[in-house]
Amino acid sequence: MRVRAVVSGAETDQKLVRLASRRMYGALLAAGVRMFEYRAGMMHVKALLVDGGWAVVGTTNVDNRSFEHNDEVNVAFRDAAVTARLRRDFEADLAASDEITVDSWRRRSRLEKLAGPVCWLLERQQ
């Protein structure tokens, strides 16, 4: 199974959320997920593509706030043309992203290593 994720990079307008999220990269990378950070700016897409035949696109973040408090909506497609188009968009976003490796993640600054858990706690309080 191959899993690739594209997330917001340094140009995001949600710096604290990014720091809180980056603390989890180690576990994802260890599990074999390839992580990429989008260079151009904010990445707000929530899309899941499965085996070229399924796609889910919507507003739902995979977090407690989305599931418990927000009125979120997704749509699931089982259509080869739709998933092919979304795949092209994903590949274009991937080309505009930098891969985060285990080594580069481990080399993040000491400040980021300390700030990540604090940002996560603050994010949970909102």
Side-chain angles (χ1 to χ4, degrees):
M1 174 173 59
R2 177 174 69 160
V3 177
R4 298 178 293 170
V6 177
V7 298
S8 295
E11 298 302 317
T12 183
D13 64 348
Q14 297 293 320
K15 304 284 188 194
L16 295 180
V17 173
R18 179 174 181 258
L19 283 174
S21 299
R22 283 177 57 87
R23 77 182 216 302
M24 298 300 298
Y25 285 15
L28 293 168
L29 292 164
V33 175
R34 291 182 63 198
M35 298 294 300
F36 298 83
E37 290 186 334
Y38 189 63
R39 287 187 300 271
M42 181 73 175
M43 173 64 67
H44 198 69
V45 173
K46 285 91 170 187
L48 171 70
L49 304 173
V50 181
D51 297 334
W54 286 88
V56 178
V57 179
T59 63
T60 306
N61 293 308
V62 183
D63 64 9
N64 288 336
R65 183 180 307 147
S66 285
F67 293 134
E68 295 176 10
H69 302 293
N70 296 348
D71 292 325
E72 305 280 359
V73 65
N74 287 348
V75 63
F77 298 94
R78 188 172 179 208
D79 181 283
V82 170
T83 56
R85 172 55 198 260
L86 290 169
R87 170 90 185 232
R88 287 191 303 274
D89 292 345
F90 176 80
E91 295 294 339
D93 291 341
L94 198 63
S97 301
D98 296 314
E99 186 164 9
I100 305 302
T101 64
V102 171
D103 289 337
S104 67
W105 180 77
R106 287 183 180 147
R107 286 192 312 268
R108 69 197 189 286
S109 73
R110 217 175 251 175
L111 178 61
E112 182 179 330
K113 289 175 185 177
L114 292 171
V118 173
C119 293
W120 176 75
L121 287 171
L122 292 173
E123 177 65 18
R124 287 185 51 105
Q125 299 305 312
Q126 293 183 1

